[in-house]
């Protein structure tokens, strides 16, 4: 199917210079309670989908040059409870993508390989997940708009980077988990389950076995949604971020100067 998509793009447009692997689905449930068959099916999309897409894309990009962008998650760096299979699949995506990047660099292939790691995003991720819990799950705050991820992907297509965190919370969570793993585990033990559960009874939703419907971009069920991420903006547009910081510093300097003048005159 992915080869057919590439062939159609080549036939219609003469080729492509950017390929984004973004297919994904999740399971909610404790690791030992989720049937192994469903865990394997999740890997069929989350891991093997990325592998198949990458292999197809690289065959073309090796000759033409361009960007391969794989979407993973903050959960490729750390783990949370209730989504063990999803976490494992994202760790696998990271390992495969990092190895592929090294191999392409060894070949001197003109292909950039980027991992984009979103935080919680206001999509229908939860609604489409297979749920083995008694209650409806939710995404813990903070939750970001889909545009935060889309703009990060667009930027890395033209400005190659190794990794990009879409949402400052993603970067913070990864740093915390790596810097203080025992403390992180203790916090997840106390808060990780509660932070992902609502008091609502479980609703039917299972894009694991059937494709999702509706084509809605946003869920609208996650409370406050952050439309921008200053961290991601600063990482992808360092000059603009530097200008903004200089502007803030200038405002603070002017305010301090005025206060100094008033106090001196007084």
């Amino acid at each position: 199917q992915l080869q057919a998509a590439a062939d159609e793009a080549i036939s219609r447009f003469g080729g492509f210079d950017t390929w984004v692997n973004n297919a994904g689905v999740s399971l909610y449930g404790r690791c030992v309670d989720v049937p192994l068959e469903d865990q394997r099916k999740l890997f069929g999309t989350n891991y093997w989908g990325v592998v198949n897409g990458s292999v197809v894309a690289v065959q073309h990009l090796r000759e033409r040059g361009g960007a391969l962008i794989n979407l993973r998650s903050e959960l490729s760096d750390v783990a949370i409870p209730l989504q063990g299979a999803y976490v494992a699949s994202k760790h696998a995506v990271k390992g495969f993508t990092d190895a592929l990047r090294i191999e392409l660099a060894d070949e001197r292939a003109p292909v950039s390989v980027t991992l984009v790691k979103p935080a919680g995003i206001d999509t229908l991720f939860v609604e489409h997940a297979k749920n083995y819990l008694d209650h409806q799950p939710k995404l813990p705050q903070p939750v970001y708009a889909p545009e935060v991820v889309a703009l990060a992907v667009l930027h890395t297509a033209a400005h190659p980077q190794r990794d990009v965190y879409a949402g400052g919370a993603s970067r913070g969570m990864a740093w915390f988990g790596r810097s203080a793993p025992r403390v992180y585990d203790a916090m997840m033990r106390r808060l990780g389950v509660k932070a992902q559960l609502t008091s609502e009874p479980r609703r039917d939703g299972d894009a694991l076995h059937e494709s999702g419907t509706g084509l809605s971009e946003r869920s609208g069920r996650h409370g406050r949604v952050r439309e921008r991420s200053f961290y991601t903006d600063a990482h992808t547009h360092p000059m603009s971020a530097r200008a903004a910081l200089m502007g803030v510093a200038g405002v603070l300097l002017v305010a301090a100067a005025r206060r100094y003048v008033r106090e001196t005159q007084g």
Side-chain angles (χ1 to χ4, degrees), residues 186-199:
M187 186 190 75
M188 283 293 120
R189 179 179 62 82
R190 293 178 62 87
L191 303 175
V193 172
K194 294 179 181 179
Q196 295 185 80
L197 292 179
T198 70
S199 58

Side-chain angles (χ1 to χ4, degrees), residues 138-156:
K138 67 177 181 178
L139 295 179
Q141 288 288 339
V143 174
Y144 296 87
E147 285 81 358
V148 172
V149 184
L151 291 173
V153 169
L154 184 63
H155 179 81
T156 57

Side-chain angles (χ1 to χ4, degrees), residues 62-167:
R62 265 195 184 118
E63 304 299 325
R64 180 187 180 94
L68 172 65
I69 302 171
N70 289 339
L71 271 289
R72 53 186 184 107
S73 167
E74 59 192 354
L75 300 182
S76 58
D77 292 335
V78 294
I80 60 172
L82 304 184
Q83 294 192 67
Y86 181 82
V87 170
S89 71
K90 294 304 181 180
H91 276 64
V93 167
K94 178 183 184 300
F96 169 79
T97 305
D98 288 347
L100 176 62
R101 183 189 299 108
I102 295 170
E103 291 173 0
L104 290 173
D106 178 65
E107 298 173 16
R108 300 186 183 278
V111 183
S112 66
V113 180
T114 299
L115 280 168
V116 176
K117 298 171 280 188
I121 305 298
D122 186 32
T123 65
L124 275 74
F125 175 87
V126 171
E127 288 84 347
H128 286 170
K130 178 71 173 178
N131 186 9
Y132 285 95
L133 304 172
D134 293 331
H135 294 86
Q136 184 69 8
K138 67 177 181 178
L139 295 179
Q141 288 288 339
V143 174
Y144 296 87
E147 285 81 358
V148 172
V149 184
L151 291 173
V153 169
L154 184 63
H155 179 81
T156 57
H159 305 85
Q161 296 186 43
R162 189 179 191 277
D163 298 274
V164 173
Y165 289 93

Side-chain angles (χ1 to χ4, degrees), residues 174-252:
W175 176 86
F176 181 21
R178 287 197 299 261
S179 302
R182 290 182 180 274
V183 178
Y184 176 87
D185 288 351
M187 186 190 75
M188 283 293 120
R189 179 179 62 82
R190 293 178 62 87
L191 303 175
V193 172
K194 294 179 181 179
Q196 295 185 80
L197 292 179
T198 70
S199 58
E200 302 175 16
R202 179 177 61 196
R203 295 192 298 269
D204 292 333
D206 183 10
L208 181 65
H209 296 93
E210 297 181 4
S211 60
T213 59
L215 300 181
S216 298
E217 179 182 290
R218 298 199 185 197
S219 166
R221 295 176 176 267
H222 299 125
R224 180 191 173 193
V225 174
R226 289 161 172 78
E227 297 296 326
R228 294 189 62 183
S229 166
F230 181 77
Y231 172 85
T232 303
D233 288 347
H235 191 73
T236 55
H237 298 86
M239 293 301 294
S240 297
R242 191 175 298 117
L245 289 174
M246 290 179 65
V248 171
V251 170
L252 294 175

